Amino acid sequence: MKNAIICAIVSLMWVNLAIAKANPEDFAAAAKLGKPLVICKTKDEAQQCSATCKPLAPLALSVDVDLKEATVAKRIFKGENQIQDTNLRRCKVTDQDNWSCSNLDEDANYLESMSDGKYFYMMEIDQSSFYMCSK
């Protein structure tokens, strides 16, 4: 249950970020700091990072992979401001562009991965789902 609550809070955080108004300069600033993040309606759209996925806010992703330690550090930027800094857990790291970190349990299904440089984020909790990607 604790994991479900954490996942719900994270989901609400993303929604709040998406609702915030943004101007074109924020999108340009975020793109300089990382790969633009988009939200997708379905898991398949996110896995493909298809053109149907839409930016909701000027969010960008930057990751640092430590191959020796097999860890992934993720940073999210909104415009020029860093809004999240997370060290991902339960990771399997192949190289800088290929890794996977997950938390699968009875309350929530959570996965972040990068495959050939394409980022995928999935959170499924109860009857709700949230998908993002970046390429």
Side-chain angles (χ1 to χ4, degrees):
M1 187 64 165
K2 181 180 178 184
N3 287 339
I5 292 168
I6 291 169
C7 289
I9 291 168
V10 170
S11 180
L12 288 173
M13 179 193 77
W14 285 110
V15 171
N16 286 337
L17 289 173
I19 292 170
K21 291 190 176 190
N23 58 50
E25 295 84 27
D26 288 335
F27 283 94
K32 289 179 185 177
L33 298 169
K35 297 178 175 190
L37 282 169
V38 295
I39 190 167
C40 307
K41 290 182 181 180
T42 69
K43 184 176 179 178
D44 289 338
E45 286 179 348
Q47 287 174 324
Q48 298 300 315
C49 208
S50 70
T52 57
C53 299
K54 304 292 182 199
L56 290 178
L59 299 179
L61 166 78
S62 175
V63 295
D64 291 319
V65 177
D66 184 328
L67 298 175
K68 184 178 178 183
E69 298 294 323
T71 59
V72 177
K74 175 182 82 169
R75 289 182 309 280
I76 303 290
F77 297 91
K78 181 178 180 192
E80 294 181 350
N81 301 313
Q82 181 175 324
I83 59 170
Q84 183 181 29
D85 187 4
T86 307
N87 291 316
L88 302 178
R89 301 177 309 159
R90 297 182 183 164
C91 299
K92 294 179 183 177
V93 176
T94 304
D95 58 35
Q96 186 74 25
D97 291 332
N98 296 282
W99 49 266
S100 178
C101 307
S102 66
N103 181 28
L104 308 174
D105 61 34
E106 61 190 50
D107 295 324
N109 186 8
Y110 159 84
L111 172 70
E112 286 188 72
S113 65
M114 187 169 284
S115 178
D116 295 327
K118 188 186 326 177
Y119 173 77
F120 169 74
Y121 175 94
M122 171 190 80
M123 182 178 42
E124 298 172 331
I125 182 169
D126 296 327
Q127 302 298 318
S128 299
S129 302
F130 188 76
Y131 308 103
M132 288 192 317
C133 65
S134 182
K135 52 182 173 176

